[in-house]
Amino acid sequence: MKNLGEQEKLQIGFPEMNFYHYRLISESEKLNKFKVKENGKTVKFYLSDSLKTDVELRRKIDSYQIIQDWYLWDGEFQKGESKTIEVQYSLPFGMLYKTNERFFTYLLSTGANWKGTIGKAEIIVNLKDIEIDSLISQQPNNCEVTNDQLKWTFSDFEPTTNDDIKINYNSNKVLYTGKKPIPPVFIVNENLDDKFDLKSIEPNDIAGIEVIKNPEETKKYTNQNNGVVKIYTKDFVLTEVKKLIRAKSNEEIVLTSYDQLKENYCLFVNRDEVDFVKIIGVNTKSVAKLEIIGLNDEKSKIMIELKK
């Protein structure tokens, strides 16, 4: 916004919209659904239903089945000053009474009283979990439609109600209930398992679980930023321990189960005690020395020294 005159203080408003046949929301919830910044700095605002006395504007608003208050804040412009005003808000879909039809509106006509024409406006609606063939209609007609997006472009125009964005769709086809979580990638015993179901494994069979969230690390396994979960079973870890001992030690130990291993031995790598799961990925070529130290009153120690 630019002040073309002298220094001025004014009240700036943004419409708050809620729909009939949806649900009533509290004032605190309304306040949490809106944020405004002037030149990047957060501005305090308040609610006021200033439409009660404006019969003509109330008639227009009611035609959209909208109950409307205003978010208001006090602004001040110096002579010739320009400000960038950012607003962030959310609103529910509209529901036509006793039907399965839903709708969404975006009112460009609220800019009709701005000075001069609007140079350019680009309205992009991203369809989240709404299939394109569930759409009933979209207005105005100059809409570019793709598989998951609706786009309108206007230039050098004075907005009227004919320019307001109106989208109608059928909830029988799909009803958006929130962003669907993307399941993590599961690596079970060093093997990628796209169809792994965590319920398919007994908790008592698991030796260890490692969760990888670092995007740089997850890129090794997936292109999606949804995390990686590595699971190691007791039998797999026990086999890896036996394999390493046979390859790097002249001693032989009898191990019938992973639980017996944990009960009678502890693992040290470069003198630091670690969980037996840490042995996964240790290449025999990287091991400089492996020895087993038996102790009378304590657990025996499996000592691994890695090459520098």
Side-chain angles (χ1 to χ4, degrees):
M1 299 183 72
K2 183 175 182 178
N3 181 17
L4 300 178
E6 300 297 321
Q7 178 183 0
E8 186 171 356
K9 293 183 178 181
L10 73 162
Q11 203 176 50
I12 304 175
F14 191 90
E16 186 281 323
M17 292 179 284
N18 190 34
F19 295 91
Y20 293 131
H21 318 312
Y22 183 71
R23 67 181 179 88
L24 296 176
I25 61 176
S26 65
E27 182 166 318
S28 62
E29 186 176 352
K30 289 181 182 181
L31 294 174
N32 289 332
K33 291 161 73 74
F34 183 79
K35 295 179 181 178
V36 59
K37 293 181 179 180
E38 288 188 0
N39 293 338
K41 185 178 180 180
T42 299
V43 176
K44 290 184 178 180
F45 60 89
Y46 49 93
L47 279 166
S48 176
D49 187 355
S50 58
L51 291 177
K52 290 179 180 178
T53 58
D54 193 328
V55 178
E56 177 61 19
L57 188 54
R58 169 58 73 187
R59 184 188 65 78
K60 293 179 181 179
I61 294 300
D62 285 345
S63 69
Y64 290 104
Q65 292 187 302
I66 296 172
I67 303 171
Q68 188 175 39
D69 296 335
W70 286 83
Y71 292 108
L72 300 173
W73 64 96
D74 299 319
E76 181 176 0
F77 285 79
Q78 302 302 316
K79 181 178 180 180
E81 182 183 10
S82 293
K83 286 185 179 181
T84 298
I85 298 179
E86 302 172 64
V87 293
Q88 177 182 325
Y89 61 98
S90 62
L91 70 161
F93 54 75
M95 302 172 64
L96 296 185
Y97 186 56
K98 290 186 178 180
T99 75
N100 293 306
E101 193 170 331
R102 305 289 184 260
F103 68 89
F104 167 80
T105 60
Y106 184 78
L107 307 182
L108 284 172
S109 56
T110 55
N113 293 325
W114 296 357
K115 183 176 178 62
T117 60
I118 295 177
K120 183 178 181 180
E122 188 176 72
I123 312 300
I124 298 174
V125 177
N126 295 306
L127 301 177
K128 294 183 177 180
D129 293 351
I130 298 176
E131 299 294 338
I132 197 70
D133 58 355
S134 72
L135 296 179
I136 299 171
S137 64
Q138 57 273 345
Q139 295 176 284
N141 294 326
N142 63 322
C143 178
E144 298 177 33
V145 182
T146 63
N147 289 333
D148 58 359
Q149 191 179 88
L150 304 178
K151 180 180 177 181
W152 288 264
T153 303
F154 304 87
S155 59
D156 193 25
F157 75 115
E158 184 81 31
T160 69
T161 54
N162 292 329
D163 299 309
D164 289 342
I165 305 299
K166 303 173 187 176
I167 302 170
N168 287 62
Y169 62 97
N170 192 343
S171 68
N172 275 344
K173 178 70 179 178
V174 63
L175 181 60
Y176 180 57
T177 57
K179 187 176 179 181
K180 289 184 178 179
I182 302 175
V185 172
F186 284 94
I187 311 290
V188 182
N189 294 338
E190 295 292 89
N191 293 314
L192 178 64
D193 191 339
D194 294 328
K195 299 180 180 180
F196 178 75
D197 183 358
L198 196 57
K199 296 179 182 178
S200 66
I201 189 169
E202 291 291 334
N204 194 48
D205 292 336
I206 298 174
I209 296 178
E210 179 184 1
V211 179
I212 302 175
K213 297 182 180 180
N214 188 309
E216 294 300 317
E217 289 294 315
T218 58
K219 284 180 182 178
K220 298 176 183 178
Y221 309 97
T222 177
N223 293 325
Q224 295 181 330
N225 187 22
N226 53 334
V228 173
V229 177
K230 287 186 171 185
I231 297 176
Y232 301 106
T233 63
K234 291 179 178 180
D235 287 344
F236 180 77
V237 176
L238 179 63
T239 300
E240 292 297 302
V241 172
K242 288 180 177 181
K243 188 187 301 182
L244 194 60
I245 291 174
R246 285 197 301 268
K248 303 301 294 186
S249 174
N250 295 324
E251 299 185 53
E252 186 174 340
I253 58 176
V254 178
L255 298 170
T256 59
S257 69
Y258 177 82
D259 292 334
Q260 183 190 24
L261 172 68
K262 291 276 288 185
E263 183 179 351
N264 296 304
Y265 294 88
C266 50
L267 175 67
F268 287 79
V269 176
N270 292 341
R271 299 185 180 278
D272 293 325
E273 185 174 3
V274 297
D275 192 271
F276 280 100
V277 172
K278 294 297 183 181
I279 209 167
I280 306 300
V282 175
N283 192 297
T284 55
K285 294 181 180 180
S286 66
V287 177
K289 183 180 179 182
L290 188 152
E291 63 177 332
I292 300 172
I293 303 175
L295 301 173
N296 293 328
D297 299 327
E298 300 179 21
K299 290 182 180 180
S300 297
K301 297 181 179 179
I302 302 175
M303 308 291 294
I304 296 176
E305 184 179 331
L306 299 179
K307 294 178 182 179
K308 295 181 180 180

